[in-house]
Amino acid sequence: DAGVTQSPTHLIKTRGQHVTLRCSPISGHKSVSWYQQVLGQGPQFIFQYYEKEERGRGNFPDRFSARQFPNYSSELNVNALLLGDSALYLCASSTQNREETQYFGPGTRLLVL
Amino acid sequence: GENVEQHPSTLSVQEGDSAVIKCTYSDSASNYFPWYKQELGKRPQLIIDIRSNVGEKKDQRIAVTLNKTAKHFSLHITETQPEDSAVYFCAASKGGYQKVTFGTGTKLQVIP
């Protein structure tokens, strides 16, 4: 079964660089959420998108931005990378904007040096 | 905003024993409480969830209870097996566009 997919799986960047992470939701799912998971902690909510519109935003700086495309895939962009941005970035999809059950992708592990 | 606290942070049990993980939440408007299991290097996987109109839900060896008055919910795993070893996260949400807030996780080790 085609679950949530994310690319790339791993990424190494240096401070000040920019990164783009990609996510494809489960077929039929229209909502995508992004989370940051620092080692040893629970996932922290970054954004939720539904029908290409931002529906929710967590407590992250403006360096973080995202968008959703007509096919419901999504990109997370992070500018001016800091060492503290090193984390596992998870994408989760759900069927509708009011459907709480979220299914996670495998994540992109970002290391900022 | 919502704050979810989770205890204990680590839990070791003998195979066959039961394991209980407890969470509390702060926002009385939260109405959806999922539990995720995350194995090392893998994605969080939903194992069970409960909504605020239900006090208890069971799925084979896993059960979750919810006390809305006290604002706490618990995960119970019976007859634990080595493959139950993982990090478990509780979470809370108000549904709709509201974010899902996760607890800090419990590392469960089942000793054969």
Side-chain angles (χ1 to χ4, degrees), chain B residues 25 30-33 48-58 63-69 72-74:
Chain B
Y25 61 99
S30 290
N31 56 18
Y32 175 64
F33 307 92
I48 195 167
D49 56 14
I50 191 167
R51 299 179 194 276
S52 59
N53 58 345
V54 176
E56 184 174 357
K57 184 176 178 180
K58 190 174 182 179
V64 58
T65 59
L66 171 64
N67 183 327
K68 284 202 69 180
T69 302
H72 68 68
F73 55 114
S74 301

Side-chain angles (χ1 to χ4, degrees), chain A residues 13-17 19 63 78-82 85 110 112:
Chain A
K13 292 285 189 178
T14 56
R15 282 177 297 175
Q17 284 189 312
V19 68
R63 299 185 295 108
V78 187
N79 291 324
L81 285 168
L82 303 174
D85 295 331
L110 172 65
V112 182

Side-chain angles (χ1 to χ4, degrees), chain A residues 41-75:
Chain A
Q41 297 182 19
Q44 297 291 312
F45 174 78
I46 309 176
F47 288 110
Q48 183 193 27
Y49 275 78
Y50 174 72
E51 291 285 11
K52 297 174 289 181
E53 290 189 18
E54 181 184 302
R55 302 293 186 170
R57 173 186 284 257
N59 295 325
F60 280 81
D62 293 342
R63 299 185 295 108
F64 289 76
S65 63
R67 56 179 175 167
Q68 187 177 33
F69 299 99
N71 66 353
Y72 305 112
S73 67
S74 178
E75 284 183 353

